[in-house]
């Protein structure tokens, strides 16, 4: 049932400690960092919450810190800021590419990376990128802060390993291995403003022709973003040849059990997952 606007309560803290105090209350509000999905849920009547906390004015969450060893993206940084940031485009081009696929410009102006993570949709465009880059999610409460490896964040469908009073404050992406190549591709019903049927991100590094680092991550294939660990193992330590790429694609059957839903069926998703992996690997193959 849709809630009347007059029944909703909105807090707008300006400092992080104020936001954490609100999160510590028994009747804590639902955090809102852009709200592009929450507004849809409210309009559809699928969200029962009536108390919200808009964190977009919290200055500490708007910071994007660039260091040699990592980039840390505050919880209030928008996708437009990510797609246009020079360091993100140079060092994490797959994240900039994903940011450019999140809806229209109007959505990218409001939606945040932390909001995408907290919303926990299996189709979230940025989530496979964060998984492929071994991102770490920083959370805070009045009790203190802790870091959660992105690979351990989701316990199940829209189920995050967060305590009720914890707020996502930032997401850190460590510098990829030297010479690493990154890839991102989203497949949807149409090129613009569609929810993905399959979304894929990969990071691979080679040394003297052999694969020294491989991360292959998929979205819209399972209740949570998924690493293709058997496919990664098929590549690691080997020369990147046609045979190795074919073995990696074959291994996807051990990694992925695609879902059937209104956007696509299992067989299509599996074929597309393999095609995207080939598109990533083939330009890097060692000549026979």
């Amino acid at each position: 049932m849709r809630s009347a606007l007059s029944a909703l309560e909105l807090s707008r803290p300006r400092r992080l400690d104020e936001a954490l105090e609100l999160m510590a209350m028994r009747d804590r509000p639902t955090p809102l960092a852009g709200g592009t999905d929450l507004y849809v849920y409210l309009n559809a009547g699928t969200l029962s919450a009536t108390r919200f906390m808009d964190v977009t004015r919290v200055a500490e969450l708007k910071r994007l810190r660039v260091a040699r060893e990592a980039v840390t993206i505050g919880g209030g940084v928008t996708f437009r800021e990510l797609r246009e940031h020079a360091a993100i485009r140079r060092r994490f081009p797959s994240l900039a590419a994903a940011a450019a696929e999140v809806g229209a410009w109007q959505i990218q102006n409001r939606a945040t990376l932390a909001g995408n993570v907290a919303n926990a949709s299996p189709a979230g465009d940025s989530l496979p990128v964060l998984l492929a880059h071994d991102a770490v999610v920083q959370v805070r409460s009045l009790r203190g802060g802790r870091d959660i490896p992105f690979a351990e964040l989701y316990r199940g469908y829209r189920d995050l390993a967060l305590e009720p009073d914890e707020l996502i404050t930032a997401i850190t992406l460590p510098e990829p291995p030297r010479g690493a190549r990154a890839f991102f591709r989203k497949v949807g019903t149409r090129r613009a403003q569609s929810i993905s049927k399959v979304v894929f991100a990969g990071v691979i590094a080679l040394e003297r022709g052999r694969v020294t680092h491989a991360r292959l991550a998929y979205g819209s294939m399972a209740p949570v973003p998924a690493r293709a660990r058997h496919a990664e193992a098929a590549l690691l330590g080997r020369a990147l040849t046609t045979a190795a790429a074919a073995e990696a694609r074959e291994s996807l059957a051990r990694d992925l059990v695609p879902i059937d839903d209104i956007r696509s069926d299992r067989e299509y998703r599996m074929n597309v997952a393999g095609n995207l992996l080939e598109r990533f690997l083939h330009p890097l193959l060692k000549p026979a």
Side-chain angles (χ1 to χ4, degrees):
M1 178 182 294
R2 294 174 58 180
S3 298
L5 289 177
S6 58
L8 304 181
E9 181 181 333
L10 179 68
S11 304
R12 306 192 77 183
R14 289 182 176 274
R15 299 197 317 270
L16 182 57
D17 58 350
E18 294 174 353
L20 297 182
E21 287 173 3
L22 289 168
M23 291 295 290
M25 297 170 63
R26 182 183 296 273
D27 55 345
R28 62 183 56 87
T30 298
L32 187 159
T36 53
D37 281 305
L38 288 183
Y39 293 147
V40 174
Y41 300 152
L42 279 172
N43 193 51
T46 57
L47 184 64
S48 59
T50 58
R51 302 188 74 238
F52 297 91
M53 177 178 69
D54 181 358
V55 298
T56 56
R57 292 186 175 184
V58 178
E60 295 99 317
L61 303 182
K62 295 294 294 179
R63 297 170 183 159
L64 198 161
R65 295 189 297 275
V66 178
R68 179 177 297 179
E69 69 281 2
V71 169
T72 298
I73 301 164
V77 174
T78 67
F79 282 111
R80 180 171 181 177
E81 291 168 322
L82 288 177
R83 70 175 287 179
E84 295 180 349
H85 197 283
I88 297 295
R89 293 167 66 93
R90 183 177 69 257
R91 293 169 59 177
F92 300 97
S94 57
L95 181 58
E101 294 278 356
V102 179
W105 276 78
Q106 294 89 336
I107 298 294
Q108 293 167 24
N109 285 338
R110 290 195 59 86
T112 60
L113 183 62
N116 207 219
V117 169
N119 187 46
S121 165
D125 294 326
S126 69
L127 307 188
V129 177
L130 300 180
L131 189 56
H133 275 287
D134 297 323
V136 175
V137 178
Q138 298 173 17
V139 301
R140 287 277 301 275
S141 71
L142 287 183
R143 297 174 289 106
R146 65 187 178 113
D147 295 342
I148 305 173
F150 191 79
E152 300 173 12
L153 182 64
Y154 299 119
R155 297 180 295 204
Y157 178 71
R158 294 183 185 268
D159 181 13
L160 283 73
L162 295 182
E163 298 299 326
D165 61 342
E166 288 181 325
L167 182 70
I168 295 175
T169 54
I171 296 151
T172 296
L173 281 74
E175 183 69 11
R178 187 179 180 84
R181 309 286 186 89
F183 181 92
F184 170 83
R185 195 59 50 92
K186 170 182 175 178
V187 176
T189 301
R190 57 185 185 179
R191 184 166 179 78
Q193 301 184 49
S194 64
I195 299 175
S196 66
K197 296 172 181 284
V198 180
V199 56
F200 168 68
V203 178
I204 195 166
L206 299 125
E207 188 172 326
R208 297 181 181 178
R210 292 189 177 276
V211 178
T212 57
H213 178 92
R215 295 287 187 275
L216 309 171
Y218 288 89
S220 282
M221 298 287 285
V224 299
R227 282 261 304 272
R229 295 180 184 274
H230 289 95
E232 293 170 1
L235 298 172
L236 279 171
R238 299 179 61 184
L240 188 51
T241 62
T242 303
E247 189 175 323
R249 175 166 185 160
E250 187 175 340
S251 297
L252 289 179
R254 301 173 63 190
D255 293 313
L256 306 173
V257 183
I259 55 176
D260 277 318
D261 66 13
I262 192 171
R263 289 191 298 279
S264 198
D265 63 30
R266 183 172 309 165
E267 182 179 6
Y268 175 84
R269 281 189 160 101
M270 200 65 201
N271 284 331
V272 171
N275 292 343
L276 293 177
L277 179 59
E278 285 190 0
R279 186 170 295 188
F280 175 36
L281 296 179
H282 276 203
L284 307 173
L285 293 183
K286 182 179 181 180

